[in-house]
């Protein structure tokens, strides 16, 4: 699976948009970008995923560059409860995994939302 | 979304004893369950993958005789840490993949079990 690079930590003011970048320059054409987050002492939580087009759901928006070598997760109005470690994961679609169906987590970005 | 539970949520035990952690998919059937371990300030590390009714597949460096995994039904997997030692103290997280769905989104995580071995 393609490797991802994320900043170690970021800060954001409450109520402002939080923009979390992820570099995945070795991404293959059929690999998806997934975002999970982990609030302290809890299990990871799925946020969003995408392939080429930008995606939006009730939690966040995902912006993928045209060359797909990087993406940005956007939390439009960050709250204190959004403080967590955010993981960007790149994986091939179903049936094309070479490493089984498991998720492999990198180091992620510690997002701290300040009041 | 689908719910995965773990029991217990935390456990303290003496060195040398065995500890069993349960992982249940509450409202869906899971053909595959995953066990992760997370040390403080580190990311999740996959320990093993288990499919219902078959032996678990362990990641490199994970001792299968020390971390016994049983996936006897479509809704329950157990991880037993045998002869636990202080270095086994960690946060153990299970994940269940919904039956009939192959996408990553269909993988749901439990709340984790914190193990402290004295």
């Amino acid at each position: 699976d393609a490797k991802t690079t994320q900043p170690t930590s970021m800060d954001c003011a409450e109520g402002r948009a939080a923009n979390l970048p992820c570099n995945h320059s070795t991404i293959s054409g059929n690999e998806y970008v997934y975002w999970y987050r982990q609030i302290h002492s809890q299990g990871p939580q799925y946020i969003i995923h995408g392939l080429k087009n930008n995606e939006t759901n009730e939690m966040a928006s995902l912006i993928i560059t045209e060359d797909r070598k990087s993406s940005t997760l956007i939390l439009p109005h960050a709250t204190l409860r959004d403080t967590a470690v955010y993981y960007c994961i790149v994986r091939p679609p179903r049936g094309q995994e070479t490493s089984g169906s498991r998720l492999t987590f990198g180091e992620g970005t510690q997002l701290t939302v300040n009041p | 979304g689908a719910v995965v539970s773990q029991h217990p949520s935390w456990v303290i035990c003496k060195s040398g004893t065995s500890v069993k952690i349960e992982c249940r998919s509450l409202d869906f059937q899971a053909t595959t369950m995953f066990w992760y371990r997370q040390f403080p300030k580190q990311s999740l590390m996959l320990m093993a993958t288990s499919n219902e009714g078959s032996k678990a597949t362990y990641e490199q460096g994970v001792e299968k005789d020390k971390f016994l995994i049983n996936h006897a039904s479509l809704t329950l997997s157990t991880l037993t840490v045998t002869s636990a030692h202080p270095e086994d103290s960690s946060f153990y997280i299970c994940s269940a993949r919904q039956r009939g769905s192959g996408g990553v989104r269909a993988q749901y995580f439990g709340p984790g079990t914190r193990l402290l071995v004295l």
Side-chain angles (χ1 to χ4, degrees):
Chain A
D1 297 347
K3 179 179 172 58
T4 62
T5 304
Q6 300 177 252
T8 303
S9 63
M10 293 183 66
D11 283 88
C12 175
E14 187 178 20
R16 296 296 185 105
N19 299 293
L20 293 96
C22 178
N23 286 321
H24 30 79
S25 58
T26 60
I27 191 171
S28 298
N30 63 349
E31 289 183 314
Y32 285 73
V33 180
Y34 288 81
W35 284 83
Y36 276 75
R37 73 178 182 184
Q38 185 180 24
I39 296 171
H40 183 63
S41 294
Q42 296 184 23
Q45 175 190 21
Y46 165 84
I47 301 174
I48 199 168
H49 75 281
L51 180 63
K52 295 181 181 178
N53 301 321
N54 298 336
E55 303 289 343
T56 296
N57 61 20
E58 65 278 6
M59 290 184 67
S61 294
L62 174 61
I63 308 298
I64 302 174
T65 58
E66 191 169 343
D67 63 7
R68 302 208 327 119
K69 293 184 177 182
S70 65
S71 61
T72 301
L73 178 74
I74 301 173
L75 307 179
H77 305 286
T79 69
L80 299 179
R81 286 177 291 183
D82 291 323
T83 293
V85 178
Y86 287 77
Y87 296 99
C88 169
I89 301 170
V90 175
R91 287 193 71 254
R94 174 185 181 184
Q96 299 184 35
E97 305 97 340
T98 58
S99 57
S101 56
R102 59 189 187 271
L103 287 170
T104 303
F105 289 81
E107 299 303 315
T109 297
Q110 170 66 60
L111 174 68
T112 302
V113 181
N114 301 304
Chain B
V3 178
V4 176
S5 70
Q6 285 184 237
H7 178 81
S9 55
W10 59 270
V11 57
I12 302 174
C13 69
K14 293 182 179 180
S15 184
T17 61
S18 294
V19 175
K20 179 184 284 188
I21 303 170
E22 292 187 349
C23 176
R24 293 181 185 272
S25 55
L26 297 187
D27 50 2
F28 67 98
Q29 292 182 326
T31 50
T32 305
M33 287 188 172
F34 307 87
W35 288 95
Y36 292 81
R37 178 168 55 181
Q38 186 175 32
F39 293 107
K41 299 189 183 301
Q42 295 186 22
S43 187
L44 287 79
M45 296 299 295
L46 180 67
M47 299 175 66
T49 301
S50 73
N51 293 297
E52 185 260 340
S54 62
K55 292 183 178 180
T57 301
Y58 291 80
E59 295 298 303
Q60 191 173 7
V62 178
E63 301 175 58
K64 63 179 181 180
D65 294 330
K66 181 170 182 63
F67 298 100
L68 302 179
I69 292 173
N70 184 286
H71 189 169
S73 77
L74 288 172
T75 60
L76 173 65
S77 176
T78 60
L79 168 68
T80 301
V81 183
T82 62
S83 186
H85 291 286
E87 57 266 29
D88 298 323
S89 298
S90 188
F91 191 48
Y92 291 86
I93 304 169
C94 77
S95 177
R97 187 163 70 104
Q98 194 166 14
R99 183 179 190 180
S101 181
V104 174
R105 183 180 180 182
Q107 189 169 332
Y108 305 99
F109 287 83
T113 296
R114 191 162 298 282
L115 170 64
L116 176 61
V117 184
L118 303 178

